[in-house]
Amino acid sequence: MPFFAKVSTRTAQHAVRQGKRLARNLVATLRGRTAKNYVHHSLGVVATLGIGPGIFQFRGLVVKGLPTWLTHRGYHVLAVPTWERKIRVLAIWLTAARSASR
C-alpha cells in the first residue's frame, strides 16, 4: 500500500476515530487478541458558507441549502463533550444567526 493511502488528514474527527480504535486495540492486546488497523471510511463532505447556505455530498447524493447547514451545525453540537457546553455553543450560534439576519 502506498504511503499516502495510510495517512489520514490531521483533524479532530480522525483523532477521535483513531483514539477509539487505539482503545479497542489496547483491550484486544490485553486479552490476547489481535489488534486491527485503523481504516478511514468517508462520511461525506460538507461545507457551510456563512449562516444558512451549505452543501453536503456523499457518493452520488448532493444536498444544498439550510437543511445542510442545520445538519452540519447539529453534528458539531453533538460532538461537544458535555450538555452544558452543547447548550452554550448552540446559544452562541443561535445568537449569531439572529444577529446576522437583521
Side-chain angles (χ1 to χ4, degrees):
M1 182 180 296
F3 173 77
F4 63 86
K6 295 180 183 180
V7 178
S8 59
T9 58
R10 297 179 196 144
T11 63
Q13 289 87 354
H14 288 288
V16 168
R17 293 177 198 155
Q18 290 169 341
K20 288 178 182 178
R21 170 52 51 206
L22 174 63
R24 289 184 193 113
N25 282 343
L26 289 171
V27 170
T29 301
L30 291 171
R31 293 181 178 169
R33 298 183 186 139
T34 305
K36 297 179 183 177
N37 290 330
Y38 170 78
V39 178
H40 173 70
H41 299 283
S42 176
L43 299 176
V45 178
V46 67
T48 58
L49 306 166
I51 297 174
I55 185 167
F56 168 77
Q57 181 179 4
F58 179 69
R59 298 185 182 163
L61 175 67
V62 177
V63 181
K64 298 178 183 179
L66 185 61
T68 300
W69 184 83
L70 291 170
T71 303
H72 181 247
R73 291 296 177 146
Y75 169 82
H76 285 288
V77 167
L78 291 174
V80 174
T82 65
W83 280 104
E84 176 189 349
R85 290 181 187 169
K86 288 177 199 297
I87 292 167
R88 189 180 324 150
V89 168
L90 187 57
I92 291 168
W93 286 344
L94 291 174
T95 303
R98 185 169 182 221
S99 298
S101 66
R102 291 182 178 185

